[in-house]
Amino acid sequence: MNMSEKNKTNAPKGTKDIFYPEIKKWQYLEDHIRHFFSQFLYREIRTPIFEHSELFQRGIGSETEMVQKEMYTFLDKADRSLTLRPENTASVVRAALENNLFNQMFPLRFFYIGPMFRYEKPQKGRQRQFHQMGIEVFGDDSAGVDAEVIYSAYRFLEILNIKDMKLKVNSVGCRECRPGFLSKLASEAEKHHDQLCPDCQRKVHTNPLRIFDCKKQTCIEISTHFPVMIENLCSGCGEHFDQLKTSLSNLAVTYTVDPRIVRGLDYYVRTAFEITSGQLGAQDAVLGGGRYDDLVKELGGPDVPGTGFAAGLERIILHLDDTPGKEKKIILVAYQNQAIETQAVKLAKTLWEKGLTAYINYNSRNMKKQFKRGDRIDAHFAFILGEDEVQNNTISIKNMESKEQFTIKNEELDQWLKKNL
Ligand code: HAM
């Protein structure tokens, strides 16, 4: 192809084209998601890729980094403010409310797979358009269902053979116990104001909990001595967290309690968790989630609790082997000259109608070229039609690997296919 470099338009920074053979991993992963989560009665939901910006401002929280710095927000031609979804929990809640699903569906369990958009600095495992799969469960405030959600998250990754996984759980309290804790935390952080990075200095006043998110070594060291939420929970949240730990142990899930898991979105209450993988480098969070009991109400709905998680598919793909799943065997249909092309196309059609994978190189006068193409598509067999074959109602078959070649009668085709494909 002769395209002048100057006139080339590249994909925007932080986005990626996905195609063969990497696409095989995506398809394998998507099949696994659909199959695995249907075991727990999750049903797929597809929501729009853009929503009214207000949904995310209200749902995720206007003080969060995500809303303040990372959203792709634009005005459409009618001056409406729209945002490419940075996550999908708020959208699922909006969709369930708008379609009256809270009254109609049972169980209220959804899973989704799709692209999300965040204006972040791209690096390994971090993109501006990335993909998530996630699950959301509504209508159950028990720690038992949180444990099931966490178990399913862990097991989902374990089946994919994700190595070096760590599950960290925490409780971020609720509307009752969090405000008191936050002022305690803020006054402690204020004492160390000058040692904190400028970002954390700002967080002291806007969202002190988020100081625990900072990756800077000095901030990590200073904040290890700060008060933590799990030691300041109200009795309801304390019991919920104890029950969560018991339920996780009943399911034989190995976890550590990490008070630094505070999550980057404001809707979380009580349970918060993350699964990291030691093989991912700086962006090591494969999956994160937690409980969001106030979100439905905050978005104008009834008092329905919710819990769930989302996983970053790019980060899972980085772990997957090259050729997951079995590929169908490919048949090259080759023909000696142009006069035989029609018979060759009919043979290919017969194969397609049997659900087989066949490739034909049109307008070709040259068998050698057809075989070269056969090698490039990794064909297992070549079905060859020459003048002799057409005249004698036969097909010559070449095993592309062993180079063995033999001839069968047309009426033997079905039997041969059954035996060999
Ligand atoms: P989150 O922690 O913001 O949670 O994202 C979940 C996962 O998405 C992360 O653990 C990470 O694997 C992946 N991810 C996030 N940003 C990027 C990026 N820029 N590039 C690649 N992967 C990324 C949520 O989104 C919540 N909605 C999860 C949830 C569902 N909580 C309850 N229900």
Side-chain angles (χ1 to χ4, degrees):
M1 249 160 267
N2 214 345
M3 203 192 298
S4 136
E5 284 292 316
K6 252 201 309 203
N7 293 329
K8 218 164 66 177
T9 307
N10 291 331
K13 189 171 169 187
T15 70
K16 197 173 160 265
D17 303 304
I18 308 167
F19 45 88
Y20 187 87
E22 189 194 321
I23 198 78
K24 288 196 293 180
K25 295 187 191 181
W26 287 84
Q27 290 163 345
Y28 169 80
L29 179 56
E30 287 162 11
D31 284 350
H32 174 52
I33 294 164
R34 292 202 163 82
H35 175 256
F36 181 79
F37 288 102
S38 71
Q39 286 184 277
F40 300 82
L41 289 185
Y42 292 97
R43 271 121 197 191
E44 184 165 359
I45 184 164
R46 300 184 190 190
T47 61
I49 278 169
F50 59 87
E51 298 270 3
H52 291 292
S53 305
E54 184 205 294
L55 175 70
F56 302 116
Q57 284 152 2
R58 286 171 65 191
I60 299 169
S62 46
E63 281 305 320
T64 55
E65 294 251 306
M66 200 182 288
V67 170
Q68 295 220 326
K69 296 188 189 158
E70 296 173 1
M71 294 210 305
Y72 277 92
T73 297
F74 57 96
L75 291 178
D76 74 1
K77 292 193 194 304
D79 267 353
R80 295 180 198 94
S81 177
L82 300 171
T83 295
L84 299 182
R85 60 183 187 192
E87 62 103 51
N88 211 25
T89 308
S91 303
V92 171
V93 172
R94 198 263 318 130
L97 279 174
E98 195 168 336
N99 297 289
N100 204 19
L101 301 182
F102 289 121
N103 297 321
Q104 285 172 17
M105 250 179 90
F106 191 80
L108 275 161
R109 293 183 164 209
F110 303 95
F111 83 87
Y112 49 83
I113 306 172
M116 308 292 154
F117 306 84
R118 296 183 193 175
Y119 191 83
E120 290 187 279
K121 206 166 173 212
Q123 63 184 87
K124 185 181 166 208
R126 188 162 75 189
Q127 290 179 201
R128 291 182 173 171
Q129 175 175 333
F130 62 101
H131 298 78
Q132 280 186 347
M133 70 70 47
I135 64 170
E136 313 293 349
V137 184
F138 296 97
D140 189 336
D141 62 7
S142 69
V145 77
D146 287 349
E148 185 192 301
V149 163
I150 295 173
Y151 159 77
S152 69
Y154 197 89
R155 182 73 192 133
F156 160 67
L157 296 175
E158 198 174 48
I159 295 172
L160 293 171
N161 216 2
I162 306 295
K163 305 258 165 43
D164 209 0
M165 283 201 284
K166 279 198 184 71
L167 164 64
K168 297 172 194 164
V169 302
N170 190 23
S171 175
V172 292
C174 68
R175 279 183 177 181
E176 249 179 68
C177 50
R178 198 158 44 200
F181 166 72
L182 288 181
S183 40
K184 199 163 153 184
L185 177 62
S187 59
E188 186 58 31
E190 191 55 53
K191 289 187 202 156
H192 302 270
H193 187 272
D194 294 347
Q195 294 151 277
L196 294 169
C197 74
D199 221 22
C200 286
Q201 289 178 351
R202 194 179 44 80
K203 289 179 192 168
V204 175
H205 307 290
T206 56
N207 203 339
L209 206 55
R210 208 94 320 126
I211 295 174
F212 290 117
D213 265 346
C214 186
K215 300 269 189 283
K216 300 212 173 60
Q217 200 49 39
T218 42
C219 295
I220 293 176
E221 273 161 29
I222 296 163
S223 59
T224 8
H225 308 293
F226 287 179
V228 290
M229 189 70 238
I230 39 170
E231 279 159 22
N232 291 274
L233 296 173
C234 61
S235 62
C237 289
E239 277 164 34
H240 197 272
F241 194 49
D242 287 342
Q243 186 56 51
L244 174 74
K245 291 184 280 185
T246 308
S247 303
L248 285 173
S249 302
N250 289 341
L251 289 162
V253 176
T254 311
Y255 65 90
T256 52
V257 174
D258 184 347
R260 304 188 75 90
I261 299 296
V262 291
R263 313 283 298 125
L265 306 100
D266 273 355
Y267 50 61
Y268 291 109
V269 294
R270 297 189 165 173
T271 309
F273 68 98
E274 270 174 26
I275 298 178
T276 56
S277 161
Q279 296 189 336
L280 279 176
Q283 298 305 313
D284 63 352
V286 184
L287 178 158
R291 177 161 283 286
Y292 48 88
D293 290 347
D294 303 320
L295 183 60
V296 180
K297 225 171 12 179
E298 267 157 26
L299 293 177
D303 192 1
V304 176
T307 186
F309 73 81
L313 300 191
E314 277 77 6
R315 298 185 188 178
I316 297 176
I317 293 283
L318 285 171
H319 277 276
L320 292 187
D321 294 339
D322 269 348
T323 47
K326 252 176 56 189
E327 278 241 42
K328 279 188 169 179
K329 286 193 175 162
I330 300 169
I331 302 165
L332 167 76
V333 177
Y335 53 96
Q336 197 177 14
N337 57 45
Q338 207 57 46
I340 298 171
E341 192 188 76
T342 310
Q343 276 94 334
V345 172
K346 283 186 181 158
L347 174 58
K349 180 172 179 262
T350 308
L351 298 172
W352 291 323
E353 283 177 359
K354 290 180 190 300
L356 299 168
T357 309
Y359 173 84
I360 179 161
N361 186 200
Y362 296 94
N363 273 336
S364 178
R365 278 177 219 107
N366 185 340
M367 277 274 237
K368 211 168 138 194
K369 203 163 138 196
Q370 293 177 52
F371 274 98
K372 261 198 188 144
R373 297 235 163 141
D375 284 335
R376 289 186 65 185
I377 58 166
D378 283 333
H380 292 75
F381 297 104
F383 284 16
I384 306 158
L385 292 185
E387 270 158 17
D388 287 352
E389 281 85 358
V390 172
Q391 205 161 25
N392 302 327
N393 289 323
T394 58
I395 303 163
S396 290
I397 299 179
K398 180 174 178 178
N399 182 321
M400 297 288 277
E401 211 186 324
S402 67
K403 309 287 177 213
E404 177 200 5
Q405 189 169 323
F406 49 91
T407 301
I408 62 165
K409 293 201 187 97
N410 282 358
E411 60 265 29
E412 291 167 348
L413 178 64
D414 271 355
Q415 212 188 346
W416 187 91
L417 291 171
K418 239 183 240 152
K419 226 163 99 186
N420 295 281
L421 289 170

